[in-house]
Amino acid sequence: MCKGLKTNFLGVELASPLVLPAGVMGMSYSGLKICVENGAGIVTSKSLTKLPRSGHEGPVMAEVPGGFLNCMGLCNPGLEEGLAEIAEFKKLSTTPLIVSIFATGREEFTELTLAANRSSADFLELNLSCPNVFDEFGIPLAASREQVFEIVRAVKEVSRLPVIAKLSPNVLSITDIALAAEAAGADALCLINTLGPGMLIDIYARKPVLYNRFGGLSGPCLKPIALKLIYEVYSSVKIPIIGMGGIQSGQDAVEMKMAGASVIGIGTAIYYHGLEIFNRVNQEIRDFLEESGYESWQAIPALDKIRD
Ligand SMILES: Cc1cc2nc3c(=O)[nH]c(=O)nc-3n(C[C@H](O)[C@H](O)[C@H](O)COP(=O)(O)O)c2cc1C
C-alpha cells in the first residue's frame, strides 16, 4: 500500500483510510476478508443483536435513481455467531475491525458491550439509529440527546474497546446528538446512516415495492447531505469522524476528508462497482495526492470550521 494512504485512527495504524461500513459484506469472515484483500483499511461487522434476526420479508432492496432503498430489518446471525465470525477473520488478518452492535436501550447495549469485550475486535460501534424505539416524550432513540447520552455513557463505563457512536441523519439537529455522544465519552463518531426512510410504489400491482413499505436510502444521492452533516458536526466536536454516504470515487473521499472526516466508508458503491472500488478509490486518492502536492492522506486539511 502506498505510503501516502497510511493513516492513524484512534491510535491504530491503517494501511488505507477506506472503511467497510456496517451492514455491507460484514456478515461473515470471508466477506470481511475479501474487502481487505481489495483495499479496505478497516472493516465493520454487520450490526449484531443479542439474538439472531431473520430480517424483513423480501423484497428488501430496490434501486432508485442515485441509490438504493433497503429495509433489511437488521438481519444478522446474532451476537454469539457474529463474534465467532470476527474471531475467524482475526485469525486470518491483522486489519483493524469494528464490531457494530444494535440494541433498543441502555441495558441491552451494556450487555452486548460486555460480550464484545471478550471478542478480538479493535473498536466497538453503537448503531444508534433505531427509529422504532421512543422515549417518554415520543422521541425516537436516534433523535433523543438524553437517550444517546445515557447509552454512550453506560457503554463507556464497561467497554474495553474504543467506542464509536453511529448517528442517524433523520433528526432535527445531528450536531446536538453528536455533542451528546461526545459529552458521554464517545471516542469517535460515524455518520451518516441511511436517510429517510423513503418508499416506491409498483403502480401495476398498486402496492409498495418493498415488502416492508419503507426503506432507508443509501448511495451517491446521499453525498451532498452527508458532506453537509459531517461538516456541521466536525465544526462542533473534537473527536474523529468516520464519514460515509454515497462515496464512490477518490474525489468523493477527498471531499469528505475536507468536510472533516478522518476515514471514509464505502458501502453502496460496492453494489455498483464491485469490490474493486476500494483499490480504485485508493489509487484515485494517491493520484490526487501527487497532483496536489499533499504528502499524505492525513496532510489533506479540512475546511475552516463553521463559526457562529
Ligand atoms: C444493505 C444495507 C445494510 C445496512 N446495514 C447496516 C447495519 O447493519 N448497521 C448500520 O449501522 N448501518 C447499516 N447500513 C448503513 C451503512 O453502513 C451506511 O451508513 C449507509 O449505507 C451510507 O453509506 P453508503 O451510501 O456508502 O452505503 C446499511 C446499508 C445498506 C445499504
Side-chain angles (χ1 to χ4, degrees):
M1 194 70 59
C2 160
K3 192 175 157 211
L5 291 185
K6 279 192 187 150
T7 194
N8 186 294
F9 180 68
L10 293 175
V12 174
E13 288 295 319
L14 308 183
S16 152
L18 302 184
V19 182
L20 172 75
V24 189
M25 303 290 301
M27 198 83 94
S28 67
Y29 78 88
S30 53
L32 295 162
K33 183 169 161 280
I34 200 167
C35 291
V36 170
E37 286 163 0
N38 279 278
I42 178 165
V43 289
T44 313
S45 74
K46 174 76 190 165
S47 289
L48 301 171
T49 50
K50 193 171 160 186
L51 298 173
R53 283 172 61 120
S54 54
H56 293 132
E57 207 169 305
V60 289
M61 278 190 93
E63 194 172 0
V64 296
F68 280 87
L69 287 181
N70 92 79
C71 59
M72 307 302 285
L74 284 164
C75 56
N76 77 94
L79 191 72
E80 201 176 317
E81 175 77 35
L83 294 183
E85 292 293 328
I86 289 171
E88 207 53 41
F89 168 78
K90 278 294 190 176
K91 279 188 208 156
L92 305 167
S93 175
T94 53
T95 298
L97 178 140
I98 303 169
V99 55
S100 169
I101 57 172
F102 178 86
T104 53
R106 189 179 56 186
E107 273 166 35
E108 203 181 332
F109 264 115
T110 310
E111 205 180 316
L112 297 181
T113 302
L114 292 171
N117 278 349
R118 297 190 292 274
S119 78
S120 40
D122 301 271
F123 304 96
L124 176 69
E125 185 170 280
L126 311 178
N127 179 353
L128 296 169
S129 311
C130 183
N132 306 319
V133 179
F134 301 89
D135 72 5
E136 57 195 305
F137 308 107
I139 301 174
L141 187 158
S144 163
R145 273 181 304 191
E146 291 74 17
Q147 288 209 50
V148 165
F149 181 86
E150 297 241 317
I151 290 168
V152 174
R153 192 173 58 175
V155 164
K156 272 300 287 180
E157 268 169 24
V158 297
S159 182
R160 168 185 82 77
L161 304 172
V163 174
I164 303 163
K166 179 154 183 188
L167 307 183
S168 166
N170 311 315
V171 298
L172 209 52
S173 166
I174 197 167
T175 301
D176 284 352
I177 309 294
L179 286 169
E182 184 181 48
D187 296 282
L189 300 169
C190 175
L191 54 141
I192 58 174
N193 211 314
T194 53
L195 188 70
M199 80 181 289
L200 287 171
I201 297 171
D202 178 337
I203 57 171
Y204 297 101
R206 214 181 132 262
K207 61 177 197 179
V209 169
L210 295 176
Y211 185 85
N212 194 47
R213 292 197 180 90
F214 312 132
L217 185 62
S218 65
C221 62
L222 236 60
K223 193 187 80 174
I225 292 166
L227 286 176
K228 186 260 183 188
L229 295 178
I230 289 164
Y231 181 44
E232 199 182 300
V233 168
Y234 164 73
S235 296
S236 298
V237 302
K238 295 192 176 63
I239 51 180
I241 298 171
I242 304 178
M244 58 186 61
I247 300 304
Q248 53 175 355
S249 69
Q251 157 129 11
D252 291 342
V254 172
E255 273 186 82
M256 206 163 260
K257 176 82 164 72
M258 290 186 175
S262 299
V263 292
I264 310 293
I266 297 185
T268 301
I270 297 172
Y271 302 133
Y272 289 108
H273 306 288
L275 288 165
E276 310 80 67
I277 185 80
F278 288 106
N279 273 330
R280 175 162 67 72
V281 173
N282 278 333
Q283 187 53 48
E284 288 170 358
I285 296 171
R286 278 191 212 105
D287 294 344
F288 172 79
L289 293 177
E290 211 157 286
E291 279 160 27
S292 312
Y294 292 113
E295 214 168 70
S296 64
W297 168 260
Q298 276 184 305
I300 302 172
L303 304 186
D304 294 339
K305 293 189 173 193
I306 307 167
R307 290 185 214 293
D308 297 325

